[in-house]
């Protein structure tokens, strides 16, 4: 039994070997620091994480070391100016050229309640360090030092107290206080999220308004330390059941009366006015006015006015005014005024005014005014006025559709693209001998807008028409254009309107690069409306005239040319 226990102990010790104690041999000359760190990480099964603002990853380094711990290698590279911390899958590098010390002047305790006060000092100058974070990791209690470096913290516990001090550009320091009775409490393991910048949420416009400078300073000091807790309640940021540590805690249940500022969410969060989360949020988040998420969001997010996610969204966003996402969206966005995604959208976007995707969009999009896509739009998009993308695939409907490349079907009054058709037509037809038209789109689907005049014996008719068409390509120079159009004939000084629906099959021949000739028959249907005498004027001398119910029908013709 003794040997089995010893074997288990040896295995556990081997598994728990620190990344910083791994044996390293490496010989590199004139290599970029980032390349060296990538190589070390891949060889040993982890990643290095660091800020380019603090560490110059492009600097060239030389190193030749055999069978030394990783911490020795890093000390050689950074000359002791960088602090190293371990997290699952990562070694975190933080610029910390300075040292600090904790000077505890007074420790009083009564009934497992302790008050500890003292100073945080710069080890070199002996001066007090302002806005340093002093915290107990296991109990999630913290405070900040004042302008003289003085601090005072109250802690309730029956076990050992370990105070840790963190300050930007200083190495962390810890101090233990032993009580009469110790109990085996398991400390919460810190979490680390490489993909999110925990300071971005506080820098948002809502964060600048509601997050105090002390909380922002705390976030900078404890940038890489986060813990999990079952719940928290807040009146406002800082006035929380977790106190100053609320911004470092990921909760399963979060209730905020006015608003809250936490590390993240893995459950449900409600706020009367706003929720601000520094890292990822999952499942359900509801705020009376705003939600701000510094990391990724997954689940259902409802904001009375708006939602702002600084990474990716996977789920549903619903807001009366706007949804803004810095990265990509997969799911559904419903914004009363606009939805804005700086990267790609895959799913459903609905807004009364604008849908914007900085890169690609796919799925279904509806906007009262415009859908804008920076690169490729796939699926279906409908806008009251404008659809715009670099490449359009799928189906697009709007008053104006603009693309560099139109590969799909665009339906609108104007369909403009570099690879599409844009032709000015001059032609004559049985409805009006003098007509001008504009055709835009591609062979798959195009739209035609036309205007003409018929100076009749008794009445002059003006013709305004709009239609859609498809080209059946025969060869490089010829095709048959099939068009369905609705034409309004205006008579009696524009007081009477007569509707004629027209189906045409027009043979087109490309005579020159910018000139085509076309001619073909059409089927016309005049609706029974207006004055009988003017209807007779319209159908006079029309071939194959017939009655379809109360409507008149005949076979007509079109002949003309197109330019561009």
């Amino acid at each position: 039994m003794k040997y089995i226990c010893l074997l288990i102990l040896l295995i556990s010790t081997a598994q728990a070997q620190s990344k910083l104690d791994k044996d390293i041999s490496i010989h590199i000359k004139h290599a970029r620091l980032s390349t060296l760190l990538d190589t070390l990480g891949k060889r040993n099964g982890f990643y290095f994480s660091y800020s380019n603002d603090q560490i110059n990853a492009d600097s060239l380094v030389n190193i030749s070391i055999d069978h030394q711990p990783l911490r020795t290698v890093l000390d050689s590279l950074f000359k002791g100016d960088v602090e190293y911390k371990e997290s699952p899958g990562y070694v975190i590098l933080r610029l910390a050229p300075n040292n600090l010390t904790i000077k505890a002047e007074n420790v009083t305790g009564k009934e497992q309640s302790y008050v500890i006060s003292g100073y945080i000092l710069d080890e070199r100058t002996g001066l007090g360090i302002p806005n340093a974070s002093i915290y107990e990791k296991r109990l999630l209690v913290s405070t900040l030092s004042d302008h003289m470096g003085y601090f005072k913290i109250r802690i309730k516990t029956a076990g050992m107290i370990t105070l840790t001090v963190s300050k930007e550009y200083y190495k962390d320091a810890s101090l233990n206080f032993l009580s009469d009775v110790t109990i085996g409490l398991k400390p919460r393991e810190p979490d680390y999220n490489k993909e999110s910048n925990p300071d971005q949420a506080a820098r948002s416009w809502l964060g600048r308004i509601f997050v105090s400078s002390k909380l922002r300073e705390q976030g900078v000091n404890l940038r890489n330390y986060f813990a999990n807790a079952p719940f928290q309640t807040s009146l406002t940021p800082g006035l929380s059941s977790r106190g100053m540590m609320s911004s470092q805690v990921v909760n399963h249940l979060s209730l905020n009366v006015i608003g809250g500022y936490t590390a993240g969410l893995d459950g449900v969060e409600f706020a009367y006015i706003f929720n601000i989360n520094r890292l990822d949020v999952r499942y359900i988040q509801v705020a009376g006015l705003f939600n701000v998420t510094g990391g990724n969001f997954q689940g259902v997010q409802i904001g009375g006015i708006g939602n702002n996610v600084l990474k990716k969204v996977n789920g549903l966003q619903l807001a009366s005014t706007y949804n803004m996402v810095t990265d990509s969206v997969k799911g559904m966005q419903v914004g009363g005024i606009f939805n804005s995604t700086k990267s790609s959208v895959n799913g459903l976007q609905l807004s009364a005014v604008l849908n914007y995707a900085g890169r690609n969009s796919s799925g279904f999009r509806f906007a009262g005014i415009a859908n804008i896509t920076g690169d490729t739009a796939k699926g279906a998009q409908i806008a009251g006025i404008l659809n715009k993308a670099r490449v359009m695939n799928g189906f697009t409907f709007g008053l104006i559709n603009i693309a560099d490349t139109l590969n799909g079907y665009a339906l609108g009054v104007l369909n403009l693209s570099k690879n599409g058709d844009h032709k000015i037509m001059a032609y004559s037809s049985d409805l009006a001998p003098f007509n001008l038209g504009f055709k835009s789109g591609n062979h798959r689907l195009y739209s035609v807008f036309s205007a003409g005049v018929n100076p009749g014996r008794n009445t002059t008719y003006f013709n305004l028409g709009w239609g859609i068409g498809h080209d059946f390509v025969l060869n490089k120079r010829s095709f048959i254009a099939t068009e369905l159009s609705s034409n309004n004939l205006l008579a009696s000084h524009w007081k009477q309107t007569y509707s004629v629906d027209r189906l045409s099959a027009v043979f087109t021949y490309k005579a020159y690069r910018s000139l085509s000739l076309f001619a073909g028959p059409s089927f016309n249907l005049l609706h029974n409306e207006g004055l009988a005498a003017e209807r007779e004027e319209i159908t006079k001398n029309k071939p194959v005239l017939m009655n379809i119910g109360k409507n008149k029908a005949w076979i007509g013709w079109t002949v003309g040319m197109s330019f561009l």
Side-chain angles (χ1 to χ4, degrees):
M1 185 67 178
K2 181 185 299 182
Y3 295 107
I4 293 175
C5 292
L6 179 60
L7 179 60
I8 293 173
L9 179 61
L10 290 173
I11 293 173
S12 300
T13 302
Q15 290 177 340
Q17 182 188 16
S18 166
K19 300 180 185 69
L20 294 172
D21 292 330
K22 286 182 177 290
D23 185 75
I24 301 294
S25 294
I26 191 164
H27 303 272
I28 288 182
K29 289 185 178 181
H30 303 296
R32 292 176 61 192
L33 177 60
S34 59
T35 303
L36 173 60
L37 294 176
D38 288 343
T39 302
L40 288 173
K42 289 178 181 178
R43 285 184 184 178
N44 295 280
F46 58 84
Y47 298 94
F48 285 97
S49 177
Y50 51 88
S51 171
N52 289 323
D53 295 336
Q54 295 185 351
I55 295 175
N56 185 6
D58 294 326
S59 60
L60 299 179
V61 295
N62 300 309
I63 190 167
S64 180
I65 287 181
D66 288 305
H67 301 294
Q68 294 293 326
L70 176 60
R71 68 175 73 250
T72 301
V73 177
L74 297 177
D75 285 340
S76 176
L77 286 172
F78 297 113
K79 312 302 180 185
D81 289 340
V82 172
E83 184 179 50
Y84 330 122
K85 290 186 179 182
E86 295 188 36
S87 185
Y90 296 97
V91 171
I92 305 165
L93 308 180
R94 184 175 72 93
L95 183 63
N98 304 312
N99 295 304
L100 57 79
T101 185
I102 310 171
K103 182 180 179 182
E105 290 196 335
N106 190 19
V107 181
T108 60
K110 183 179 180 182
E111 297 181 354
Q112 301 178 3
S113 179
Y114 298 87
V115 176
I116 303 172
S117 62
Y119 289 86
I120 309 302
L121 305 175
D122 185 297
E123 194 173 87
R124 183 177 61 86
T125 65
L127 299 176
I129 301 174
N131 296 320
S133 296
I134 304 97
Y135 57 103
E136 217 289 342
K137 294 182 179 180
R138 178 171 58 88
L139 302 173
L140 300 179
V141 178
S142 72
T143 189
L144 286 175
S145 59
D146 66 12
H147 66 286
M148 297 295 292
Y150 177 79
F151 73 93
K152 184 177 182 180
I153 188 168
R154 185 182 300 275
I155 297 175
K156 292 184 178 182
T157 183
M160 182 180 71
I161 299 171
T162 301
L163 286 186
T164 301
V165 181
S166 294
K167 175 65 178 175
E168 191 175 22
Y169 302 121
Y170 284 85
K171 295 180 177 64
D172 288 357
S174 296
L175 186 62
N176 294 325
F177 298 87
L178 300 177
S179 59
D180 295 335
V181 181
T182 60
I183 58 176
L185 293 177
K186 183 180 179 181
R188 293 184 173 96
E189 292 296 328
D191 179 41
Y192 176 65
N193 187 323
K194 178 180 182 290
E195 298 300 323
S196 300
N197 182 347
D199 298 328
Q200 286 184 338
R203 293 171 183 165
S204 67
W205 70 269
L206 191 63
R208 291 195 297 270
I209 293 173
F210 290 105
V211 179
S212 68
S213 59
K214 288 188 175 182
L215 280 175
R216 288 197 292 269
E217 191 73 33
Q218 174 98 317
V220 172
N221 294 338
L222 307 183
R223 180 172 301 180
N224 299 317
Y225 175 80
F226 299 98
N228 300 302
F231 70 92
Q232 75 89 34
T233 58
S234 294
L235 178 62
T236 62
L239 296 177
S240 164
S241 59
R242 298 292 173 187
M244 291 287 292
M245 286 295 283
S246 64
S247 60
Q248 309 304 127
V249 180
V250 178
N251 303 283
H252 296 296
L253 175 63
S254 178
L255 302 176
N256 304 306
V257 179
I258 296 176
Y261 179 58
T262 65
L265 177 69
D266 194 15
V268 180
E269 184 170 50
F270 294 96
Y272 188 72
I273 295 181
F274 66 87
N275 297 304
I276 304 177
N277 302 94
R278 302 178 67 201
L279 297 177
D280 296 345
V281 171
R282 292 201 300 174
Y283 304 130
I284 298 175
Q285 187 178 56
V286 180
L289 296 183
F290 303 100
N291 291 302
V292 177
T293 301
N296 300 310
F297 180 86
Q298 178 182 345
V300 178
Q301 188 176 50
I302 301 174
I305 291 181
N307 298 305
N308 191 355
V309 176
L310 303 182
K311 294 294 288 185
K312 298 178 181 179
V313 168
N314 187 350
L316 168 65
Q317 283 188 306
L318 179 63
S320 67
T321 303
Y322 71 88
N323 294 298
M324 296 181 65
V325 179
T326 301
D327 203 309
S328 60
V329 172
K330 184 178 182 180
M332 180 175 178
Q333 285 184 310
V334 181
I337 295 180
F338 71 92
N339 298 301
S340 175
T341 302
K342 289 188 177 180
S343 185
S344 298
V345 175
N346 183 1
L348 175 66
Q349 275 190 317
L350 303 175
S351 74
V353 177
L354 171 68
N355 291 314
Y356 173 79
R359 295 185 63 188
N360 303 318
S361 65
S362 60
F364 179 77
R365 308 169 81 198
F366 175 86
I369 293 180
N371 291 306
I372 307 295
T373 304
D375 197 349
T376 302
K378 298 179 181 179
Q381 52 182 357
I382 299 174
I385 296 179
L386 173 68
N387 292 295
K388 186 177 184 299
R390 191 183 69 83
V391 179
M392 282 186 181
N393 298 324
F395 175 76
T396 302
F397 178 86
L399 189 65
I400 302 172
N401 303 303
I402 301 175
D404 288 345
T405 303
L406 177 59
N407 294 325
Y409 299 86
L411 182 59
V413 175
L414 293 177
N415 304 298
L416 306 178
S417 62
K418 292 181 179 179
N419 71 326
D421 291 330
H422 315 101
K423 298 185 181 300
I424 297 174
M425 300 179 295
Y427 63 94
S428 180
S429 73
D430 57 287
L431 288 181
F434 308 107
N435 298 275
L436 289 176
F438 182 75
K439 173 181 175 180
S440 63
N442 58 18
H443 286 301
R444 292 185 179 89
L445 181 67
Y446 62 85
S447 62
V448 178
F449 181 80
S450 62
V453 61
N454 186 351
R457 178 179 299 178
N458 300 316
T459 303
T460 298
Y461 297 91
F462 295 92
N463 176 28
L464 295 176
W466 181 84
I468 58 175
H470 173 79
D471 292 337
F472 292 93
V473 179
L474 302 177
N475 52 52
K476 291 183 178 180
R477 284 187 171 270
S478 60
F479 57 87
I480 296 176
T482 56
E483 296 177 5
L484 178 64
S485 62
S486 176
N487 298 267
N488 292 311
L489 301 180
L490 307 176
S492 300
H493 303 286
W494 298 58
K495 294 179 180 180
Q496 293 292 334
T497 302
Y498 300 89
S499 297
V500 178
D501 294 329
R502 187 177 178 91
L503 178 63
S504 304
V506 179
F507 176 79
T508 304
Y509 178 75
K510 190 174 183 180
Y512 298 99
R513 181 177 181 180
S514 300
L515 175 65
S516 297
L517 305 176
F518 58 86
S522 64
F523 176 79
N524 301 270
L525 180 66
L526 173 65
H527 294 274
N528 184 30
E529 55 193 0
L531 302 176
E534 292 182 340
R535 289 202 309 274
E536 291 179 2
E537 181 75 16
I538 294 172
T539 58
K540 185 177 180 180
N541 299 324
K542 295 298 190 289
V544 197
L545 185 65
M546 66 191 80
N547 294 319
I548 299 179
K550 296 182 179 181
N551 303 318
K552 297 287 186 180
W554 68 91
I555 301 299
W557 51 269
T558 301
V559 61
M561 62 181 67
S562 62
F563 307 91
L564 301 181

